[in-house]
Amino acid sequence: MLVFAQQECVYFKKMVNLETEKTNLNTTQSDFGPGFVGDELWYSAYTDEEIEKLNSGSGKKIYYNLYSTPTDEKGNVKSGKSAMLAEASEGYHAGPVSYCEATGELFVTLSNFDNPVIRNKVYQKADIRLKIIIAKMVDGEWQKTGELPFNDPAYSVGHPSITVTGDTLYFVSDIPEKGLGGTDIYRSVRTNGKWGEMENMGSAVNTDKNEMFPFIYKGKFLIFASNGRGAGDDLNMYNVGLFGDNISGVAELTELNSAGDDFGFVIHPEGEVGYYCSNKEGGMGSDDIYKVLLEGLYHLELVVMDRKTMEPMENANITFAGVAEKIAGVVFKKVLKENESYTVASNIDGYMNDSKTISTVGKPFGVLRDTLWVEKVEVRQKFVMENIYYDFDKWNILPESEVELDKLVKVMQDNPDWKVELGSHTDCRGSDAYNQILSQKRSDSAVGYIVNKGIEADRIIAKGYGESQLVNHCDDGVPCSKEDHRKNRRTEFTILEMNGN
């Protein structure tokens, strides 16, 4: 059975279009490792003095330092540049970082390896041992509060990406006994404050070469860099969808990848701006930081289902946003705009049609799946309307009855060629004449409500039946329970005409 419920799609390629811009963050040397920390963008770069040394040919005692630049609420960088964690990272290469707002923890990659051979190269690409420390804001300053239990001088642990809840950390390691080759991406789950075992993400993510710079976004998909999935040794960026313990197929971020190294893509929580690194032609230095504008995409996938057979309707006629459409096969697909609402309705002869509003307002980008339910009907077919109540000896529409009558309004709107009769029935208590009058008044009242909702008066007839059409044995003089009497006090609508017949 094919039934679509609304859900968020985790495939990044279906979520956004990507447009790249240069930034003012870059120097003539390598700048890399962007990461959002509150209302700042952190990244790694050399000091001006170190850049002068590198430009003059000296590479001794030169380390990547952490810097921050303020951002607006969308993640667009402003002006200004501040050194960060200078004391904790002194004598170390520092970055990239990952920040968890929920726990206040900053996960920082550090290394104490110094080799002038790596001049003008991102140090993570060289044979350098990495570790991850944890820092927190204490008395207005970032201070080291711990390290990951996986840190080991025999291998590297770096490139952290923490989930928004702080319970799962993704990172990179070249630990020999667990890896598939080169550097692999791992994750660890924290339970009761204790990090679990390193879990290799497996061949769905990792290859026999290098996977680096993981970034977990909204817990739904993982973006990473790899040089093991294409020709040559250049890093390219990919993403996979995460479904609990299941991992979807790998998709390349072709809009961002170039003939050079492309890596380190991060996205602001608002989902409109991101940054990544590349040494592609046209930059200022070896590795530059580029801004990415994310244009949200919504892909509607709609089916029309037969309520009786529970099977999808093939080649069904529908109306979408006022335009007649015909589904090719069983799934209607449409690209929707951001912050828009659309009315979609089935239009199938001989069926009770359905309509609904599909909205992208406030929805995450991705695939929206939904279903229209239809039911085959015939002229003279009757439908009992549940929960139509009246006070004793009254015919005023009660609020709880309005909900049910609104459903009939929708049926009439979805089936504009129908004419129906709304019939009101009583139980046997009271005289026949009185019940006839009471039921007619109730039916008139219900029809008046429906007409006031915009349904043409010539499309619906009010009919009171009194106690003339009892559905059980509860006739005059027959003892019956309240429940049995209630079954006779009903409201029905009957199809009188369909499609002019």
Side-chain angles (χ1 to χ4, degrees):
M1 181 177 67
L2 179 64
V3 181
F4 286 167
Q6 281 195 338
Q7 62 180 10
E8 177 183 354
C9 175
V10 301
Y11 294 100
F12 184 74
K13 286 290 290 180
K14 286 190 175 182
M15 292 176 67
V16 291
N17 282 329
L18 306 174
E19 181 180 341
T20 300
E21 293 182 354
K22 291 184 177 181
T23 69
N24 60 0
L25 303 173
N26 300 305
T27 66
T28 57
Q29 297 296 328
S30 179
D31 309 276
F32 77 103
F36 290 101
V37 181
D39 56 358
E40 298 172 333
L41 183 73
W42 287 36
Y43 54 96
S44 297
Y46 294 118
T47 65
D48 292 340
E49 293 77 14
E50 289 170 330
I51 291 174
E52 289 182 7
K53 288 182 180 180
L54 287 170
N55 289 338
S56 67
S58 173
K60 289 187 177 182
K61 300 297 182 182
I62 293 178
Y63 299 96
Y64 282 98
N65 301 278
L66 283 170
Y67 291 93
S68 73
T69 295
T71 64
D72 64 17
E73 67 278 3
K74 299 294 185 180
N76 299 289
V77 292
K78 301 179 181 179
S79 60
K81 177 180 177 180
S82 301
M84 307 302 295
L85 282 174
E87 183 175 342
S89 64
E90 184 177 0
Y92 293 79
H93 294 292
V97 305
S98 181
Y99 179 61
C100 179
E101 185 175 357
T103 63
E105 294 172 301
L106 182 69
F107 296 82
V108 184
T109 305
L110 290 182
S111 170
N112 59 2
F113 187 91
D114 178 26
N115 188 338
V117 174
I118 68 167
R119 174 175 174 263
N120 286 334
K121 292 179 66 176
V122 174
Y123 72 85
Q124 282 85 343
K125 301 176 196 175
D127 183 17
I128 302 172
R129 297 290 181 261
L130 309 177
K131 64 180 179 180
I132 297 176
I133 69 166
I134 302 173
K136 281 193 171 185
M137 186 69 73
V138 179
D139 296 329
E141 294 186 0
W142 289 103
Q143 296 185 16
K144 177 182 175 182
T145 58
E147 294 191 8
L148 284 188
F150 317 119
N151 291 337
D152 193 301
Y155 54 83
S156 288
V157 174
H159 303 186
S161 182
I162 188 72
T163 57
V164 294
T165 57
D167 60 356
T168 304
L169 181 71
Y170 294 79
F171 55 95
V172 170
S173 179
D174 60 358
I175 181 172
E177 62 269 23
K178 292 179 178 287
L180 303 184
T183 57
D184 285 353
I185 295 175
Y186 292 80
R187 67 181 168 193
S188 175
V189 177
R190 179 163 51 182
T191 305
N192 297 324
K194 184 178 181 180
W195 291 106
E197 292 294 322
M198 293 173 60
E199 176 189 353
N200 191 295
M201 296 296 290
S203 59
V205 172
N206 296 312
T207 68
D208 60 355
K209 292 188 177 180
N210 297 311
E211 280 66 48
M212 303 177 176
F213 300 97
F215 177 70
I216 183 71
Y217 185 57
K218 295 187 181 296
K220 296 296 184 181
F221 60 86
L222 179 69
I223 300 173
F224 62 97
S226 172
N227 64 359
R229 297 183 176 275
D233 292 326
D234 292 322
L235 291 171
N236 287 310
M237 292 185 291
Y238 302 85
N239 81 97
V240 293
L242 302 180
F243 301 84
D245 291 333
N246 297 320
I247 301 174
S248 71
V250 176
E252 182 180 355
L253 300 186
T254 53
E255 293 169 281
L256 299 183
N257 289 333
S258 69
D261 286 321
D262 306 283
F263 57 96
F265 187 24
V266 298
I267 304 172
H268 189 270
E270 290 296 316
E272 297 181 19
V273 174
Y275 296 87
Y276 78 103
C277 306
S278 179
N279 64 358
K280 62 185 178 180
E281 292 185 3
M284 286 186 63
S286 173
D287 297 288
D288 285 343
I289 298 173
Y290 291 85
K291 178 181 176 180
V292 180
L293 301 178
L294 290 81
E295 177 191 4
L297 296 178
Y298 298 86
H299 294 260
L300 173 65
E301 295 182 358
L302 178 82
V303 295
V304 179
M305 293 289 295
D306 188 316
R307 193 178 294 277
K308 290 183 178 179
T309 67
M310 299 300 290
E311 295 292 336
M313 300 283 292
E314 292 191 26
N315 306 316
N317 293 318
I318 65 171
T319 301
F320 184 83
V323 178
E325 305 262 11
K326 191 179 188 68
I327 298 178
V330 297
V331 181
F332 175 73
K333 297 182 178 181
K334 199 84 168 180
V335 177
L336 309 183
K337 296 181 180 180
E338 186 177 1
N339 293 321
E340 293 284 348
S341 295
Y342 303 83
T343 298
V344 58
S346 59
N347 184 22
I348 307 173
D349 291 344
Y351 282 78
M352 182 185 294
N353 288 294
D354 187 19
S355 70
K356 61 178 50 180
T357 298
I358 296 174
S359 176
T360 62
V361 177
K363 298 285 182 64
F365 303 136
V367 174
L368 302 178
R369 294 189 170 105
D370 220 323
T371 304
L372 293 177
W373 292 92
V374 298
E375 182 176 349
K376 190 171 182 60
V377 293
E378 299 175 346
V379 173
R380 306 309 303 177
Q381 188 169 345
K382 292 184 178 182
F383 298 88
V384 176
M385 303 180 65
E386 304 292 341
N387 304 317
I388 301 294
Y389 300 116
Y390 300 90
D391 288 333
F392 177 72
D393 202 29
K394 301 291 184 182
W395 50 88
N396 304 91
I397 301 299
L398 299 177
E400 53 265 42
S401 300
E402 293 180 0
V403 175
E404 296 303 313
L405 291 173
D406 286 340
K407 294 179 182 179
L408 180 54
V409 171
K410 183 176 182 300
V411 168
M412 299 292 286
Q413 292 170 339
D414 292 340
N415 300 273
D417 295 329
W418 283 15
K419 291 186 178 181
V420 304
E421 173 193 281
L422 192 145
S424 180
H425 302 261
T426 69
D427 59 37
C428 67
R429 292 173 294 184
S431 69
D432 290 356
Y434 178 80
N435 284 337
Q436 179 66 41
I437 294 172
L438 180 61
S439 65
Q440 186 62 52
K441 288 182 177 180
R442 287 177 172 176
S443 184
D444 289 338
S445 180
V447 167
Y449 176 89
I450 291 170
V451 170
N452 284 335
K453 289 289 186 174
I455 302 301
E456 297 89 337
D458 61 356
R459 293 183 57 206
I460 185 166
I461 297 172
K463 179 70 174 178
Y465 287 94
E467 58 180 279
S468 64
Q469 294 185 5
L470 301 175
V471 296
N472 55 27
H473 63 287
C474 296
D475 208 340
D476 292 336
V478 177
C480 284
S481 66
K482 292 181 178 180
E483 177 61 25
D484 286 338
H485 280 305
R486 190 193 66 79
K487 293 177 181 178
N488 287 314
R489 298 194 307 273
R490 66 196 187 279
T491 300
E492 299 173 332
F493 76 88
T494 304
I495 302 173
L496 301 179
E497 293 184 16
M498 296 169 52
N499 307 315
N501 299 318

